[in-house]
């Protein structure tokens, strides 16, 4: 906190000191964030004997056996496939229904618009625990239990409102004159929306899709409640490393590392919008 | 932006309305249904009136879980908000290092919640985890499955690890919007670092900070997966928060009536906070335009 007491003029004369305190703070914080992740990665590259044996900060006996186990056993890798299927379905549904709604909210005022917008927010805020049991009964009774579409629809509960809010935030930045000019030029609504409007808010669609993907990917309670075998997500599959012969720590760690990969791959593209996404499009 | 009055806009909202009604209103109606009825199986239901609510309001179990929940959320906010602001103030303003920090900081936010639990479950173990092992070697007794305080500290540190970046990212976005002219003016006035923070940065960050506070409050208020994986609500009931208790009641014991009444009250609290949230958001929008 040294730089808090140093006043502006002093800081100007000694820029090196200031940069260093900042770097130290950030370094420590990032270390705190990355250490547990490193530990998981470290464990995934060890054999179980080494994990439970001597304590070591890095794998002495580097092995990719744990990853091989997951990537060759269908009961393991199908967990990833199942998760990806319902996540992609959910993202697609959410964006498709949210686009026209967000456009309506950003451009028009109509009866009950504010109440509707608020009601959507309450669904984003609703605790999944409240919905676990009724969802289970609802989807069982319509014969959708243990299907990908059930989980995809269930996740719409919080992802559709999120997508509407984020997209509305982006669309509001597009001047209304563009719409009006296009209509005067004889564009129909559909053609205008796809040809002119969509390219203008492309980054918004990307960000909304990213957030839908992410929140569906990280959620466990609903996806676990709504599936048993056929559509079982990877998150639920991970619990099977607990067996009579003890925990298979290496495989558990490898499965964990593999769940981090999709998020880590796309995070670079949305890095400047991530705050906006978390703030529901309102920064 | 001036909005046109157009009632036909309802058609554009209709798909969302139908979809969310299907996944929110119908299940919620089931909950309401159960909350006022009792059953002895075989799908025979009896009107129970307000009995479940009455029972719930007099049950220590619910009040204890609520108490733990409030303490947990309060501690989370007290740590994450100041820490997040502090981190945001120290982040590089632009260039390669800014992107570098943004990407690494976002990483914990994108990890599935049960994996977050697993990471800390492993990390804190005395035999194979770095944290547990180090503490043990330092002579500090630490066992999150047995010890009340160790369990709480683990769950809190885990949440700080998981979500502080969110507060930092929002605060950072707020800081980025401050024009350079403000800082130059402060420099001319020879304002101290503290005064710059107090009178320039904090007021400019207030809007996004309110969002951060509300989001963190809501999400910590319905936390389920992470503590469930790490401690399973234990030792005893030490870390049984509202959602964990509710799931135990609804899916574990299948006590439909009490669980439904519990859900409704839980939902009303959420509704109240959502309304505060909404008001803050709309005020923020107004200030911008």
């Amino acid at each position: 906190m040294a730089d808090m007491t140093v006043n502006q003029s002093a800081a100007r004369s000694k820029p090196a000191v200031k940069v260093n305190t900042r770097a130290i703070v950030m370094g420590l914080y990032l270390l705190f964030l990355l250490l547990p992740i490193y530990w998981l990665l470290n464990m995934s590259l060890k054999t179980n004997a080494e994990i439970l044996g001597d304590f070591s900060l890095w794998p002495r006996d580097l092995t990719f056996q744990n990853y091989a186990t997951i990537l060759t056993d269908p009961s393991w890798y199908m967990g990833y496939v199942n998760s990806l299927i319902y996540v992609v379905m959910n993202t697609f549904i959410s964006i498709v229904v949210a686009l026209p709604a967000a456009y309506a909210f950003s451009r028009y005022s109509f009866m009950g618009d504010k109440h509707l917008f608020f009601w959507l927010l309450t669904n984003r805020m609703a605790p999944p625990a409240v919905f676990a049991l009724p969802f289970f009964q609802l989807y069982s009774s319509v014969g959708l239990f243990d299907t990908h579409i059930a989980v995809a629809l269930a996740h719409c509960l919080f992802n559709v409102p999120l997508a509407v809010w984020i997209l509305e935030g982006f669309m509001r930045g597009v001047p209304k004159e563009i719409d009006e000019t296009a209509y005067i030029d004889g564009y129909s609504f559909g053609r205008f929306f796809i040809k002119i409007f969509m390219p203008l808010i492309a980054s918004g669609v990307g960000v909304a899709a990213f957030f839908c993907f992410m929140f569906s990917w990280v959620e466990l309670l609903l996806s676990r409640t709504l599936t048993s075998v056929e559509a079982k997500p990877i998150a639920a599959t991970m619990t099977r490393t607990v067996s009579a012969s003890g925990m298979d720590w290496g495989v558990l760690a490898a499965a964990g590392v593999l769940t981090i990969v999709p998020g880590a791959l796309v995070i670079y593209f949305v890095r400047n919008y991530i705050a906006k996404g978390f703030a529901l499009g309102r920064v | 932006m001036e909005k046109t009055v157009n009632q036909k806009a309802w058609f554009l909202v209709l798909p969302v309305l139908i979809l969310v009604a299907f996944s929110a209103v119908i299940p919620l109606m089931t909950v309401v249904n159960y909350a006022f009825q009792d059953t002895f199986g075989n799908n025979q239901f009896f009107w129970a009136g307000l009995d479940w609510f009455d029972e719930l309001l007099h049950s220590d179990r619910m009040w204890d879980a609520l108490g733990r929940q409030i303490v947990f959320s309060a501690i989370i906010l007290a740590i994450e908000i100041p820490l997040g602001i502090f981190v945001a103030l120290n982040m590089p303003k632009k260039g390669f290092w800014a992107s570098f920090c943004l990407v690494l900081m976002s990483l914990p936010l994108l990890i599935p919640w049960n994996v977050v639990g697993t990471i800390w479950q492993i990390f804190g173990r005395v035999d194979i985890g770095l944290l547990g092992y180090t503490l043990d070697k330092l002579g500090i007794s630490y066992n999150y499955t047995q010890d009340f305080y160790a369990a709480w500290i683990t769950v809190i540190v885990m949440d700080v690890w998981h979500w502080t970046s969110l507060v930092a990212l929002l605060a950072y976005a707020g800081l980025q919007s401050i024009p350079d002219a403000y800082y130059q003016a402060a420099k001319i006035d020879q304002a101290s670092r503290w005064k710059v923070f107090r009178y320039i940065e904090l007021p400019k960050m207030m809007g996004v900070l309110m969002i951060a506070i509300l989001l963190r409050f809501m999400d910590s208020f319905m936390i389920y997966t992470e503590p469930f994986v790490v401690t399973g609500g234990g030792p005893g009931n030490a870390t049984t928060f509202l959602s964990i208790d509710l799931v135990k009641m609804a899916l574990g014991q299948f006590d439909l009536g009490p669980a439904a009444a519990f859900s409704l009250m839980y939902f009303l609290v959420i509704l109240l906070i959502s309304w505060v949230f909404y008001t803050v958001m709309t005020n923020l929008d107004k200030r911008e335009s």
Side-chain angles (χ1 to χ4, degrees), chain A residues 127-144:
Chain A
V130 168
F131 288 90
L133 177 68
F135 270 170
F136 175 73
Q137 295 186 319
L138 175 69
Y139 288 106
S140 298
S141 66
V142 293
L144 283 175

Side-chain angles (χ1 to χ4, degrees), chain A residues 120-220:
Chain A
L120 284 176
L121 177 74
T122 63
N123 288 311
R124 160 63 182 83
M125 297 299 180
V130 168
F131 288 90
L133 177 68
F135 270 170
F136 175 73
Q137 295 186 319
L138 175 69
Y139 288 106
S140 298
S141 66
V142 293
L144 283 175
F145 179 71
D146 202 17
T147 56
H148 300 105
I149 190 75
V151 184
L153 285 175
H155 283 176
C156 283
L157 173 71
F158 46 81
N159 271 350
V160 167
L162 180 75
V164 173
W165 273 71
I166 294 179
L167 287 172
E168 202 266 348
F170 275 92
M171 286 179 184
R172 163 212 305 262
V174 179
K176 222 171 111 183
E177 286 69 30
I178 291 183
D179 306 30
E180 282 154 7
T181 322
Y183 293 138
I184 292 168
D185 287 352
Y187 275 87
S188 68
F189 174 71
R191 226 163 78 82
F192 154 74
F193 201 86
I194 292 164
K195 286 262 175 191
I196 297 175
F197 200 64
M198 287 282 282
L200 288 174
I201 52 151
S203 59
V205 176
V207 173
F210 171 78
F211 272 86
C212 290
F213 186 92
M214 176 194 138
F215 277 107
S216 182
W217 180 258
V218 298
E219 206 277 339
L220 171 72

Side-chain angles (χ1 to χ4, degrees), chain A residues 4 22 33 109 137 176, chain B residues 2 4 34 91 161 193:
Chain A
M4 295 291 247
R22 273 169 175 263
L33 292 186
S109 75
Q137 295 186 319
K176 222 171 111 183
Chain B
E2 197 65 18
T4 345
Y34 285 136
M91 272 176 75
W161 178 83
R193 182 71 191 81

Side-chain angles (χ1 to χ4, degrees), chain A residues 8-280:
Chain A
Q8 282 311 87
S9 56
R12 202 171 22 181
S13 59
K14 297 186 290 183
V17 177
K18 194 173 178 192
V19 168
N20 280 344
T21 37
R22 273 169 175 263
I24 290 167
V25 169
M26 284 316 290
L28 284 176
Y29 181 66
L30 291 178
L31 185 71
F32 167 63
L33 292 186
L34 294 181
L35 213 49
I37 299 177
Y38 166 71
W39 198 249
L40 192 75
L41 185 67
N42 175 24
M43 257 179 71
S44 72
L45 296 171
K46 291 178 178 177
T47 58
N48 272 322
E50 198 191 334
I51 292 169
L52 295 170
D54 279 345
F55 194 84
S56 60
L57 289 175
W58 58 88
R60 298 238 165 80
D61 188 9
L62 194 69
T63 173
F64 291 96
Q65 191 53 46
N66 298 317
Y67 290 96
T69 308
I70 290 174
L71 296 174
T72 52
D73 181 356
S75 63
W76 263 112
Y77 68 73
M78 279 315 285
Y80 288 98
V81 176
N82 289 334
S83 288
L84 280 175
I85 292 174
Y86 72 68
V87 167
V88 170
M89 276 163 109
N90 169 269
T91 307
F92 181 74
I93 298 172
S94 302
I95 297 296
V96 168
V97 299
L99 272 173
Y103 181 80
F105 281 121
S106 73
R107 290 291 188 272
Y108 303 118
S109 75
F110 47 95
M111 202 170 52
D113 55 351
K114 292 206 172 63
H115 301 283
L116 197 62
F117 208 50
F118 171 63
W119 174 65
L120 284 176
L121 177 74
T122 63
N123 288 311
R124 160 63 182 83
M125 297 299 180
V130 168
F131 288 90
L133 177 68
F135 270 170
F136 175 73
Q137 295 186 319
L138 175 69
Y139 288 106
S140 298
S141 66
V142 293
L144 283 175
F145 179 71
D146 202 17
T147 56
H148 300 105
I149 190 75
V151 184
L153 285 175
H155 283 176
C156 283
L157 173 71
F158 46 81
N159 271 350
V160 167
L162 180 75
V164 173
W165 273 71
I166 294 179
L167 287 172
E168 202 266 348
F170 275 92
M171 286 179 184
R172 163 212 305 262
V174 179
K176 222 171 111 183
E177 286 69 30
I178 291 183
D179 306 30
E180 282 154 7
T181 322
Y183 293 138
I184 292 168
D185 287 352
Y187 275 87
S188 68
F189 174 71
R191 226 163 78 82
F192 154 74
F193 201 86
I194 292 164
K195 286 262 175 191
I196 297 175
F197 200 64
M198 287 282 282
L200 288 174
I201 52 151
S203 59
V205 176
V207 173
F210 171 78
F211 272 86
C212 290
F213 186 92
M214 176 194 138
F215 277 107
S216 182
W217 180 258
V218 298
E219 206 277 339
L220 171 72
L221 179 57
L222 292 177
S223 57
R224 195 190 59 188
T225 310
L226 291 175
T227 55
S228 62
V229 185
E230 289 299 311
K232 195 175 185 178
I234 179 59
T237 315
M238 281 176 71
T239 50
R240 61 174 226 146
T241 48
V242 193
S243 66
S245 55
M247 289 288 276
D248 195 345
W249 291 111
V251 175
L252 178 72
V257 171
L258 288 178
T259 61
I260 303 177
V261 172
L265 284 182
V266 281
I267 183 71
Y268 181 77
F269 299 103
V270 290
R271 64 189 183 285
N272 293 323
Y273 296 104
I274 197 154
K276 185 161 186 162
F278 275 109
L280 309 176

